[in-house]
Amino acid sequence: MYRLDGRVFLPTRIGLLSLFLVVPLLLLLVQLLYGGDERIQSIDRKLKSIHDIRILQNVVDLAERLRDLSVIVVYDRSEELEAEYERQRQELLNAMSTLSQDASFSQDNPILELTFPRIIKQIKRVRPVLGAELYTPEVAFREHQPLVETLQQIQFRLADQGGMFGDRLDVSLNLIYLALDEFSDLTTDLGRARSYGSLYLRIGHVPSDGVDSLERIYERLELQHERLNIRANQLLKNHPDLIGKAPFKDIPWNLLQEAADTLDDQVIQSPDLDTPWRNYYRNVSQYVVTASVYRDQILSLLQSQYHLERQSAVVEQRWTMTGMALLVLVYSIIYMVDLREASGRQKERQEKEAAEAADRAKSQFLATMSHEIRTPINGVLGMVDLLSGTPLNEEQKNYLMALKSSGQTLLAVINDVLDYSKIEAGKLQIDNTMFDPRQEVNESLTLFKPLFRQRNVELNISFDKSVPNLVNCDPQRLRQILMNLVGNGLKFTEQGSVNVRLSVKSTEEKTFLYGVVRDTGIGMDNTQQAELFKQFSQADKSISRRYGGTGLGLAICQRLCHLMGGEIGVNSKRGSGTTFWFTIELHAIDESRLSGVETADLSVRQQHYRNELSGKRVLVAEDNKVNQMVIQGMLKKAGISVDVVENGKLAYEKITKHGLRYDCILMDWEMPEMDGITAARKILAWERSNQKPVSLIVALTAHVLSDYETQAMEVGMKGFLKKPIDQDALFQNLILLLKEQQTQQQ
């Protein structure tokens, strides 16, 4: 990453992205590996829990058998039964001792370490004689039932410790609840049926309170039968993949119903209790065994599902590791390759930055020069307009026309250079408005008449009858195109004429203004025509020396035509003159924005402006003395009362300190002490904070780039007028903006 001179080779965004992605990808890989290991470990804990639950179930079965036998031993003090009771209790103690010594079962298991000693004491403490002393089998059953429940609670704790109750799979959660909850209740009810039925068969009769106990047991067995099958059927409905797997392939489960029927037939409804109690005990014990088998099959099914889930997790982890490793490798390779090319990219970046800095400097220079040149040109052309309104003889008018033509020519050169800069930056804008094309074209090209007379070349302007009185496009750009093409024709025509003709052509969807400029000049061959619309290019290298010009005009005309939805082209032959043609898209006329004088002559327009603006008060903030005279003279022609200040600070004080109210404020941009944009911002802020009507502020500046117009609109200015000032544009904008403000205030 470092060169010998110590400078850093910075990778591109792709290289940096690759570098930045490698680190989080590595972290993600570690996290995924850790998460995958955690998931596998979680499944392993569940598998271990199921294994321990199944082992402990054997102890639970022994405890249930001891509990049920204790009820019979209460009433049969035969040595045989007492010996059987002691044998089963010792078997239970041995099973508990074996589990406590099984390291795989009890190691690092706080549940078993804490409960095993208590369970062993509980086994040694239970005695069946309590039931005999109180003459009730319920006491003996309850004496032993806590031992069974303690072992069942350990099973629940093992499941909880393994995270089985928090399982994200609904089927696994339902299966564990079915195995530990439902089957624990039903085995308790089966135990009561086995012990109580065997007891009453043993003593040969059923006491009155015994009948109630047996009927409650019978009802619970039937209720458990319905409840168990409903839950099993619901589970199969939600998870049909369990159908056909043991024990669900035997649905419905009838063991509880059959146990209830056996209790009812052989004990409750039997007129003579002649069934041997041992036979009954074995028969009901078979139902208990069946329930234990079902429960073990459910746990085995759950265990199989966890094995499949573990296999899936292992495969997923391997694929994840492989995919992430490949991604890390790819990004690492991308970064290394990108880093090797860093030297070239660094040089390109420096060159690009230098070019961008030069472009910014050029744009700033052009904007500054445009402003500095436009300011005096505004004074020159403005004074020419003012002077043209005074009494002049014919010779003076010709001199004045030549002066105005020269000024417009200089302005056209400045516009070409500035437009070229705008085109390069992609900031050239088209401002469509409604105007009279005949009036606009005639006024624009009239400036060329002194030059045409001087060279004895005719200038002919004609309009086809298809050209309407009003069109909607950009008049300034139309004027720029025509002046370039007519000026180009005059430049290369030493005798003859330059003819301008405008017409309208339409397609199914659009309407175009079609212009043709034909001269009788030197003409061009095909090679010269191919180079014609390239910037800084002329048909012949000697042309710039002989005829002058920048080589930008036609290139800019082409861009302008394209921006206005049209085209431009040329037909020429060496020695036979040249014909330029162009099209400009015309937009629909918005009649609501018409003033009614767009097609009127100058005297009518001036009278209209006086009618609309007479008596209005306007504040002009302008630091240039000549421009003050120009704008003041123009406004007074329309009967407007004008106050002039030299900077933005004085304009601000006029509004805030002196409390003056103006219909409009024309604000120059570049002024000493306080510029126009700052003054506008402060004036509008003061008016809002003091709940005053907001002033109509219009920028009047030699800055013509769109960035300045955007800033003006953001501050709150309502208009943006560019120097040199055009009287029609000035007055029409003032009338329109004043009407809009009046409408908003109403």
Side-chain angles (χ1 to χ4, degrees), residues 367-543:
T368 303
M369 291 305 297
S370 171
H371 178 273
E372 295 303 316
I373 297 174
R374 280 174 178 272
T375 298
I377 288 182
N378 179 63
V380 172
L381 296 179
M383 294 305 293
V384 167
D385 285 339
L386 292 177
L387 189 58
S388 64
T390 62
L392 298 172
N393 58 39
E394 192 65 29
E395 185 179 9
Q396 289 171 331
K397 289 181 180 179
N398 291 334
Y399 291 157
L400 197 62
M401 187 66 69
L403 179 60
K404 186 172 184 179
S405 176
S406 298
Q408 290 286 1
T409 302
L410 178 58
L411 183 62
V413 173
I414 297 171
N415 286 336
D416 283 347
V417 174
L418 193 61
D419 284 344
Y420 172 70
S421 175
K422 289 181 182 179
I423 289 170
E424 279 194 329
K427 296 181 179 179
L428 189 65
Q429 291 183 329
I430 300 300
D431 298 320
N432 293 324
T433 188
M434 292 165 287
F435 63 95
D436 182 350
R438 292 174 175 81
Q439 176 183 303
E440 183 70 27
V441 172
N442 284 322
E443 289 182 1
S444 301
L445 299 184
T446 298
L447 299 174
F448 284 99
K449 288 184 177 179
L451 299 177
F452 274 86
R453 282 197 298 268
Q454 182 181 354
R455 299 189 61 174
N456 293 319
V457 177
E458 293 183 9
L459 173 62
N460 301 313
I461 305 171
S462 63
F463 296 87
D464 187 79
K465 62 180 181 180
S466 62
V467 178
N469 292 330
L470 280 179
V471 296
N472 186 5
C473 64
D474 190 330
Q476 180 183 348
R477 301 305 177 185
L478 173 60
R479 175 185 298 188
Q480 191 173 353
I481 293 170
L482 283 173
M483 291 183 70
N484 264 297
L485 296 180
V486 171
N488 205 61
L490 175 61
K491 185 189 306 180
F492 298 107
T493 302
E494 297 182 356
Q495 59 181 0
S497 62
V498 175
N499 302 291
V500 179
R501 182 170 179 78
L502 292 179
S503 60
V504 170
K505 292 189 176 183
S506 300
T507 64
E508 293 181 358
E509 299 178 353
K510 297 180 180 180
T511 301
F512 296 91
L513 183 65
Y514 179 69
V516 176
V517 178
R518 181 178 294 107
D519 65 60
T520 58
I522 60 176
M524 295 174 287
D525 57 29
N526 293 335
T527 303
Q528 292 171 329
Q529 292 180 47
E531 301 291 323
L532 193 60
F533 292 104
K534 294 182 179 180
Q535 57 201 25
F536 302 112
S537 175
Q538 291 185 322
D540 193 321
K541 298 299 181 183
S542 63
I543 286 178

